[in-house]
Amino acid sequence: MTVPTADAAAPIFHTPVCEKLGIRWPIFGFSHEIDVVVAICRAGGFGVFGVAREDPKRIPELISRLRTAVGDAPFGVDLMLPAGMPDRTPTREEVDARIPEQHKVFVERLREKYAVPPATRQTFFTSFVRSRQLFDEQVEAVLGSEVPLIATAVGLPPEVIARAKAAGKVTLSLIGTPKHARAALAAGADILVAQGYDAGGHTGTIGTLSLVPQIVEIAAPSGVPVIAAGGIATGAQILAAIAMGAQGAWLGTVWLGARENHTHRALLDKLVAAGSEDTVITRAHSGKPCRVVRSAWSEEWAAPGAPAPLPMPYQHALTGELLAAIEEHDVKPLVYEAAGQSVAWLTGERSVAQIVDALLDEMRDGWARMSGLAARSGAGTPAGAHSTGRNPSTDR
Ligand SMILES: Cc1cc2nc3c(=O)[nH]c(=O)nc-3n(C[C@H](O)[C@H](O)[C@H](O)COP(=O)(O)O)c2cc1C
């Protein structure tokens, strides 16, 4: 690893995974918005486009738009492949038959209570129900594309990893427990993202600071690099992740405040006002535990007398039209999005380039702070301390 310096032009923290992927900074950014992914790649990071909410038929066109926009830069695509979904996409009638009357009444009451006008536009959740068949179609679209890296989250089908590798793609798995890390390594994942409890989106129960070093230790014998995720939105936290043996950080929530994300005003205001304590884990979003910014939506589903959210994919089948309407009409109390404890650092709208610059400045500041402390205690610079100590990033 290149020793970082306070010099703004220095190639700070060019970890081995930067070398492996051909990126400038060890900053990975997940987003469902193509413009954000493109801007992350242009800023020298690694942009990953989430296609879990995309029509399989549109995926090839979206990926080729990405390729054109980023030129030669590498980028990735993220698939969600949860177990336990219906094998084939159910018809509207079949879905309807699976949704209890009590749940339908509850959702209609919410619509009336908050005076939500009907949705006039289709969204993924008004048009699709998650199923094995849908995932297979998404997988085929991604495998047949020119995307260089495939990330798999919420579920790990080893056959998808094997096929992606056979197609010459780098594979990356998001994991939240040591057990899942071992399974991902056994399946042949090339990179692990250790995503802790603090993260926005579907999340496990182990905090990032406890999870990352355990996964680094598990991955060390294989030489598979580990990236830290969950609650990270500052350069000092990226440094901390590297200090724990990770080779970079994977950020999601921070990009919701990016100009390129085109976040609706009511949602942006809510995210800016939120602190870490204003995120909650709820099943009311997708049916699986998911960290979101608190809103009347999460509160209503947690209130006494509310029905328990339905399992995936039926929760979204039940709520998809109302959620689309809430978003379309910016219904303030109800708007929400997946968001991590890192939301505390979302203080206003900035461009992706400004966010990346700030992260790099904070990494330099953090390094200068540590160097100052090391000099005061007579231990030399952290770089000197590194060369005599164990460095999991380079010893592998
Ligand atoms: C709005 C949003 C949507 C997300 N959707 C997905 C997804 O579809 N697939 C996935 O692998 N991770 C998803 N995540 C999780 C991110 O990949 C990442 O692990 C997480 O955001 C990191 O924690 P942070 O939110 O504190 O930065 C999502 C996160 C957010 C904030």
Side-chain angles (χ1 to χ4, degrees):
M1 176 165 59
T2 307
V3 173
T5 76
D7 174 2
I12 61 167
F13 295 108
H14 198 72
T15 60
V17 81
C18 296
E19 212 67 59
K20 180 183 171 81
L21 295 175
I23 49 171
R24 189 143 184 236
W25 314 119
I27 298 172
F28 294 72
F30 172 91
S31 177
H32 286 289
E33 173 56 60
I34 282 198
D35 293 349
V36 171
V37 178
V38 169
I40 292 167
C41 295
R42 288 187 179 155
F46 193 94
V48 179
F49 177 50
V51 296
R53 303 176 185 174
E54 300 294 344
D55 175 349
K57 291 198 188 66
R58 284 200 65 218
I59 290 176
E61 169 212 325
L62 293 170
I63 294 177
S64 76
R65 246 177 72 195
L66 252 169
R67 170 47 80 215
T68 307
V70 302
D72 289 339
F75 65 97
V77 159
D78 175 282
L79 290 159
M80 215 178 72
L81 303 157
M85 298 299 104
D87 278 343
R88 83 177 159 74
T89 305
T91 62
R92 199 69 241 176
E93 293 69 39
E94 285 168 333
V95 170
D96 237 39
R98 293 289 298 267
I99 298 178
E101 205 45 42
Q102 178 202 9
H103 286 74
K104 293 178 189 164
V105 170
F106 180 77
V107 166
E108 279 319 301
R109 286 214 187 111
L110 284 182
R111 190 193 301 279
E112 284 160 24
K113 178 171 173 184
Y114 293 94
V116 185
T120 63
R121 296 195 291 263
Q122 296 279 314
T123 67
F124 177 81
F125 295 112
T126 56
S127 318
F128 292 91
V129 177
R130 293 201 190 284
S131 67
R132 188 73 235 175
Q133 186 186 344
L134 177 74
F135 295 139
D136 288 346
E137 287 166 13
Q138 288 180 328
V139 166
E140 292 311 319
V142 170
L143 285 177
S145 78
E146 53 181 322
V147 69
L149 178 144
I150 296 183
T152 54
V154 197
L156 177 93
E159 69 281 5
V160 172
I161 294 188
R163 286 185 60 203
K165 285 172 78 102
K169 302 185 187 303
V170 177
T171 59
L172 177 153
S173 280
L174 278 91
I175 54 89
T177 65
K179 185 176 152 204
H180 289 151
R182 288 190 190 95
L185 290 172
D190 299 308
I191 301 172
L192 297 184
V193 171
Q195 189 212 258
Y197 174 72
D198 325 27
H202 295 107
T203 183
T205 56
I206 308 177
T208 305
L209 218 59
S210 300
L211 182 70
V212 172
Q214 293 185 57
I215 305 306
V216 166
E217 201 174 315
I218 290 166
S222 63
V224 168
V226 176
I227 311 298
I232 300 177
T234 73
Q237 290 170 300
I238 300 176
L239 270 188
I242 292 174
M244 289 190 287
Q247 292 195 20
W250 170 287
L251 286 61
T253 298
V254 75
W255 317 112
L256 297 176
R259 202 160 294 134
E260 293 88 339
N261 197 56
H262 321 295
T263 304
H264 285 200
R265 194 74 242 172
L267 176 60
L268 185 65
D269 290 348
K270 196 169 277 186
L271 293 167
V272 167
S276 297
E277 71 280 17
D278 298 314
T279 67
V280 284
I281 295 186
T282 176
R283 287 205 309 109
H285 174 60
S286 67
K288 288 191 184 290
C290 185
R291 187 182 292 283
V292 299
V293 67
R294 191 195 311 278
S295 68
W297 185 263
S298 52
E299 301 278 279
E300 292 283 2
W301 281 93
L310 298 172
M312 190 185 266
Y314 300 102
Q315 181 69 6
H316 256 140
L318 166 70
T319 60
E321 197 278 332
L322 182 55
L323 287 175
I326 289 166
E327 191 189 320
E328 179 179 336
H329 303 294
D330 244 356
V331 184
K332 284 196 177 64
L334 290 167
V335 284
Y336 76 93
E337 178 54 286
Q341 295 187 350
S342 48
V343 77
W345 285 279
L346 209 156
T347 51
E349 213 177 37
R350 292 179 292 170
S351 68
V352 165
Q354 286 170 327
I355 294 172
V356 172
D357 279 351
L359 292 170
L360 296 172
D361 282 347
E362 289 157 3
M363 286 174 79
R364 292 186 188 100
D365 288 350
W367 186 256
R369 214 164 36 241
M370 286 161 72
S371 300
L373 284 173
R376 265 169 62 97
S377 60
T381 64
H386 245 325
S387 62
T388 53
R390 196 165 70 101
N391 178 1
S393 304
T394 50
D395 289 353
R396 265 175 259 150

